[in-house]
Amino acid sequence: MIKCSVTVDVVVFTILDRRLNLLLIKRLAKPFRGRYALPGGFILEDESTDDAAIRELREETGVRDVYLEQLYTFGAPKRDPRGRVITVAYCALIPPEQELKSSTDASDAAWFAVDDLPSLAFDHAEIVECARTRLRNKLAYTNVGFELLPARFTLTELQSVHEAILGWPLDKRNFRRQILHSETLQPLQSWRQTGRKPARLYRFKQ
Amino acid sequence: MIKCSVTVDVVVFTILDRRLNLLLIKRLAKPFRGRYALPGGFILEDESTDDAAIRELREETGVRDVYLEQLYTFGAPKRDPRGRVITVAYCALIPPEQELKSSTDASDAAWFAVDDLPSLAFDHAEIVECARTRLRNKLAYTNVGFELLPARFTLTELQSVHEAILGWPLDKRNFRRQILHSETLQPLQSWRQTGRKPARLYRFKQ
DNA sequence: TCAAAAGTGTTGAAGATACACCCATGG
DNA sequence: CCATGGGTGTATCTTCAACACTTTTGA
């Protein structure tokens, strides 16, 4: 029976420029100084791991009330050179409308397209892989893609989120039929004039 | 930043009498003395959480080389009255052929049908619920049911495993077509004479 | 010959895939 | 009037669900 340090690490996804991006932070301290790592940190005395993930997310990005889900726990004994540290990994999805702390302050945090990541500290590459796989799978049986969009969105925007997550193009008509048939979207009486023809806005029911 | 104790708890499933059962251990120590709990224990200095689960499983049941999968990590601050303990929960599936330590020694361990569990210590009822849900879902997209059977089995036996996990009856013809179509079974040149008409034996490919 | 479990096909419904053109608007 | 993205329907194929009788054996 030993005591060990416990961290949470959060894979924070968002959509930028129609591509799936995630948040990384450049490490200022050893080990892996100068390398990028997932946002995260040690859990506090009186908070659950979920609460720790929520807190880290707020500290690093300023966002709250977003989708957050526990992913997996990584507990290899040598995964952190400083000693025994196990980490509970989380996955967060944040809509692009959010004012991000990281995009406003002169931070060491930056967004990276998932297909163009730098080399990561610790076992964080493995954690990211785990998160991407989970997200892709989840899209098959849930409508979790909404979480990466603002409250009101067009069907084309939703489709491009799905395409960004899956990594392949979808058929427009099939996508629309399927998503509308699921009855999870509420059509609104507003249209967005983004391109030429205005596009109908929808929102997620509940 | 705090240090906390980390345990692994294992939901060990098996099939007994065509029903899904799980292993529980009567606690001899406080807290929850006399209540049943999941097998598990603290992780050691130099083992991964996976290794700890494998070790606990061997210690409590004597089995090795069985299906084992990480489930979820429970990290509420008050989940253990002794102090801050987080637990990484695992799910194990063991075939009924195994000689179980718990069934041979005069142990405080016992099998319980999942639909007839006693009141459990800690948050173990929640962990069990999580395991049952995961197992049910997993059956929809994998053939994990094999893990609860001996190396050679009949299709009727496999069907009854699926029924025990799902909790409802399946159509025999549809089940057989589906499972044979998946090409994960290898038919053998042997038949089991369990009832009247001999039934063909199969084994899981790889 | 009876009881018990093994084994076996077909039909209809629903869901998934593939595919191409017209529309509304701003420049 | 042209360029851009918005919006729409059909035909086919595959997959899933429902359903009942014959076969083999031991007692």
Side-chain angles (χ1 to χ4, degrees):
Chain A
M1 163 174 179
I2 60 158
K3 299 239 173 189
C4 59
S5 303
V6 178
T7 57
V8 297
D9 286 309
V10 189
V11 185
V12 187
F13 288 112
T14 201
I15 299 286
L16 291 177
D17 193 26
R18 309 217 141 189
R19 294 168 71 191
L20 188 64
N21 279 60
L22 60 84
L23 187 68
L24 294 175
I25 293 183
K26 193 175 240 171
R27 288 184 59 80
L28 302 173
K30 287 187 179 183
F32 296 106
R33 183 169 176 169
R35 290 275 275 285
Y36 281 97
L38 293 171
F42 293 96
I43 63 171
L44 302 180
E45 189 70 36
D46 265 318
E47 69 185 355
S48 66
T49 47
D50 289 4
D51 288 339
I54 292 167
R55 176 179 53 76
E56 290 291 344
L57 194 56
R58 191 159 54 221
E59 286 174 10
E60 312 270 15
T61 68
V63 303
R64 50 192 301 167
D65 296 328
V66 295
Y67 179 87
L68 186 71
E69 181 195 349
Q70 193 190 110
L71 256 189
Y72 199 79
T73 296
F74 295 81
K78 301 250 164 72
R79 56 174 296 281
D80 189 321
R82 292 167 295 187
R84 191 66 199 268
V85 182
I86 77 169
T87 194
V88 184
Y90 283 80
C91 173
L93 304 181
I94 73 182
E97 62 181 353
Q98 298 271 1
E99 266 314 303
L100 293 184
K101 210 178 176 185
S102 62
S103 62
T104 52
D105 69 5
S107 161
D108 40 358
W111 293 102
F112 289 85
V114 289
D115 288 318
D116 194 20
L117 296 180
S119 149
L120 300 184
F122 307 107
D123 52 1
H124 288 189
E126 190 186 348
I127 298 176
V128 167
E129 237 0 88
C130 176
R132 291 188 63 184
T133 303
R134 179 82 139 259
L135 189 54
R136 257 197 311 269
N137 292 337
K138 197 129 190 165
L139 216 50
Y141 60 96
T142 69
N143 276 328
V144 77
F146 303 126
E147 306 287 350
L148 289 163
L149 287 172
R152 292 146 36 103
F153 50 85
T154 68
L155 291 183
T156 302
E157 287 165 352
L158 183 58
Q159 181 177 342
S160 94
V161 167
H162 281 239
E163 290 173 333
I165 292 173
L166 294 173
W168 60 76
L170 297 171
D171 180 85
K172 182 159 50 159
R173 280 170 296 186
N174 292 338
F175 178 79
R176 282 165 187 247
R177 179 178 30 255
Q178 190 181 320
I179 212 86
L180 292 175
H181 184 259
S182 78
E183 311 236 316
T184 50
L185 288 194
Q186 182 168 73
L188 302 174
Q189 296 306 318
S190 357
W191 283 260
R192 174 172 301 159
Q193 197 96 19
T194 165
R196 310 308 174 124
K197 181 172 175 179
R200 180 156 213 159
L201 291 171
Y202 290 80
R203 73 171 176 215
F204 184 32
K205 276 187 195 161
Q206 311 295 29
Chain B
M1 162 174 179
I2 59 157
K3 299 241 172 187
C4 58
S5 302
V6 178
T7 57
V8 296
D9 287 308
V10 188
V11 184
V12 186
F13 288 112
T14 201
I15 299 287
L16 291 177
D17 193 28
R18 308 217 142 189
R19 294 168 72 190
L20 189 64
N21 279 59
L22 59 84
L23 186 69
L24 295 174
I25 293 183
K26 193 174 238 170
R27 288 183 57 81
L28 302 174
K30 286 188 178 180
F32 297 105
R33 183 169 175 166
R35 289 273 275 286
Y36 281 97
L38 294 171
F42 293 96
I43 63 171
L44 302 180
E45 188 70 34
D46 264 319
E47 70 186 354
S48 65
T49 46
D50 289 3
D51 289 339
I54 291 167
R55 176 179 53 76
E56 290 292 344
L57 193 56
R58 192 162 51 220
E59 286 174 9
E60 312 271 15
T61 68
V63 304
R64 49 192 302 166
D65 294 330
V66 295
Y67 179 87
L68 185 72
E69 182 195 349
Q70 193 191 108
L71 256 190
Y72 199 78
T73 295
F74 294 81
K78 303 248 165 70
R79 57 174 295 282
D80 189 321
R82 290 168 296 187
R84 190 65 199 269
V85 181
I86 78 169
T87 195
V88 185
Y90 283 79
C91 173
L93 303 181
I94 74 181
E97 63 181 353
Q98 299 271 1
E99 264 316 301
L100 293 184
K101 210 178 174 182
S102 62
S103 62
T104 52
D105 69 6
S107 161
D108 39 359
W111 293 102
F112 289 85
V114 291
D115 288 318
D116 195 19
L117 295 180
S119 150
L120 300 184
F122 306 106
D123 51 0
H124 288 188
E126 190 186 347
I127 298 177
V128 167
E129 234 3 87
C130 178
R132 290 189 63 184
T133 304
R134 179 81 141 260
L135 189 54
R136 257 197 310 271
N137 291 336
K138 196 127 191 169
L139 216 50
Y141 60 94
T142 69
N143 275 329
V144 78
F146 303 126
E147 306 287 351
L148 288 163
L149 286 172
R152 292 147 36 106
F153 50 85
T154 69
L155 291 185
T156 301
E157 287 165 351
L158 183 57
Q159 180 177 342
S160 94
V161 167
H162 281 240
E163 290 173 335
I165 292 174
L166 295 174
W168 59 77
L170 297 172
D171 179 86
K172 181 157 54 156
R173 281 170 294 188
N174 291 340
F175 178 79
R176 283 165 185 245
R177 181 180 29 256
Q178 189 181 319
I179 212 87
L180 291 175
H181 183 261
S182 79
E183 311 238 317
T184 51
L185 288 194
Q186 183 167 74
L188 302 174
Q189 295 306 318
S190 356
W191 282 260
R192 174 172 302 162
Q193 196 99 18
T194 167
R196 310 308 173 127
K197 182 172 176 180
R200 179 156 214 158
L201 291 170
Y202 291 80
R203 73 171 176 214
F204 184 32
K205 276 188 194 162
Q206 314 289 32

